[in-house]
Amino acid sequence: MNITGRLWLAALAGLVLVACNPASDREAQVVDPADYSAFYLWSGVEPVPQMQGADAVYVLWGELRLDEPDRIVPILRTVPSGEAKELWLVVRAERIGWGEGAYRQLLETAGIWNRDGLLTGVQVDFDSSTGRLDGYAAFLADLRQRLPRGLQLSATGLMDWPANASDDDLSAMAGALDEIVVQTYQDRTTLPGYQRYLSATERLPLPYRVALVEGGEWDPPAHLPDDPRFKGYVVFLLAGAPRQKP
C-alpha cells in the first residue's frame, strides 16, 4: 500500500473513533440556574429569580444529627413564601434510627408548612450506602405511613444506587417513595464519571430527578429525555456563586 493509502486509512480510523465517542470533542456545559426550573435552597443561600413559579423548590428545614436521634435541629424557622408548582420540606439526616420526638417535630412542621395546601411533601437527605438500601427502604416505608394523607415522600439518592443496587432493593425503595433525586455532585463539584453511572438510571422503577450543582460541569446524557420516569433536573444553589443579574 502506498503512503497516500495509509494516510487515508488512518484518517478513516480517526473518524470512526470520533463517531463512537461523540462527547470526545464536545465541551461540558457549566450549570447556570437561569437555564433550569427546579432548585435546592439551603440556609444562607440567595434565591434566584427563577424560583418564582418554578417547577419544584426543595427547602432545607432541619438536620437530624448522629448523636441526637430524638431531635431535629431547625435550620429554617419561617414558612417559605413564593409560588412554585412543588414545595418540598427537606430534612438532612445523619442517621435513620429516629426517636419519636423527631417524628413529632417533622409532622408538626409539615402541618404548618401545609396550612394553605402548598406543601408537596417531605424529602429525606441521607447518604445510605448501596449495600444497606434494604434498611433505608424499611425506614422510609415507616415514615411514609406516618405522613398525613396527601403528602408525598422523596429521598435524595447516590449515583451508585441505579448502577449497582439489587433489583429487590430498588423495588423496595420504589414501594416507599414517590420519587428519588439522584445527586451528581459532592460539595461544590460535579463527581467524575457521572455519565457512566447515570447510564443506569433506566433501572430505577420510580420517578426521579437528577440534581446538579450550580457552576458545575454538565454534559447531559442523551437517554434521559426519553425516559418516561425522568422528571427533570434540580440545581443545588451555592452561597456566593457568581450570577448574572436578571
Side-chain angles (χ1 to χ4, degrees):
M1 182 181 295
N2 59 29
I3 295 177
T4 301
R6 287 196 294 270
L7 290 174
W8 183 86
L9 286 176
L12 180 61
L15 289 174
V16 170
L17 286 174
V18 170
C20 293
N21 297 277
S24 61
D25 60 350
R26 184 174 66 224
E27 291 187 3
Q29 304 171 12
V30 173
V31 176
D32 183 346
D35 297 329
Y36 298 88
S37 61
F39 306 95
Y40 272 113
L41 186 63
W42 252 225
S43 176
V45 178
E46 184 178 354
V48 293
Q50 291 77 18
M51 286 176 60
Q52 189 69 21
D55 288 339
V57 178
Y58 298 77
V59 181
L60 177 64
W61 162 62
E63 296 180 347
L64 188 138
R65 295 169 181 168
L66 189 63
D67 58 348
E68 294 185 282
D70 286 303
R71 184 172 80 98
I72 297 173
V73 179
I75 304 297
L76 181 68
R77 297 182 180 274
T78 59
V79 179
S81 59
E83 297 180 1
K85 296 176 184 176
E86 297 180 12
L87 172 64
W88 294 86
L89 182 160
V90 181
V91 178
R92 177 76 184 103
E94 294 180 353
R95 58 181 295 160
I96 59 173
W98 291 19
E100 291 301 320
Y103 287 115
R104 283 194 299 271
Q105 273 186 278
L106 174 60
L107 296 178
E108 288 171 3
T109 304
I112 293 171
W113 282 32
N114 199 37
R115 279 179 180 167
D116 295 324
L118 299 179
L119 184 63
T120 302
V122 170
Q123 182 180 84
V124 179
D125 180 9
F126 173 71
D127 295 336
S128 171
S129 66
T130 304
R132 296 185 177 180
L133 276 184
D134 55 346
Y136 189 30
F139 163 81
L140 292 169
D142 176 68
L143 176 56
R144 186 186 185 97
Q145 293 298 317
R146 297 170 183 260
L147 291 179
R149 185 181 299 273
L151 287 187
Q152 298 182 38
L153 183 59
S154 171
T156 60
L158 305 181
M159 288 190 292
D160 189 58
W161 294 1
N164 293 312
S166 69
D167 290 341
D168 287 345
D169 285 348
L170 292 178
S171 294
M173 294 292 285
L177 294 171
D178 293 286
E179 66 158 31
I180 282 180
V181 180
V182 181
Q183 298 172 310
T184 64
Y185 55 88
Q186 186 171 26
D187 297 326
R188 303 173 72 95
T189 306
T190 304
L191 290 168
Y194 64 90
Q195 289 273 11
R196 175 172 57 86
Y197 281 100
L198 291 178
S199 66
T201 52
E202 292 171 322
R203 292 188 63 224
L204 292 173
L206 76 165
Y208 68 94
R209 287 182 164 110
V210 173
L212 317 176
V213 65
E214 180 177 6
E217 171 190 317
W218 187 246
D219 185 10
H223 76 281
L224 286 180
D226 296 326
D227 188 344
R229 295 190 180 96
F230 176 59
K231 297 174 63 178
Y233 295 106
V234 186
V235 176
F236 186 85
L237 301 173
L238 296 177
R243 295 175 186 156
Q244 296 291 331
K245 296 295 182 182

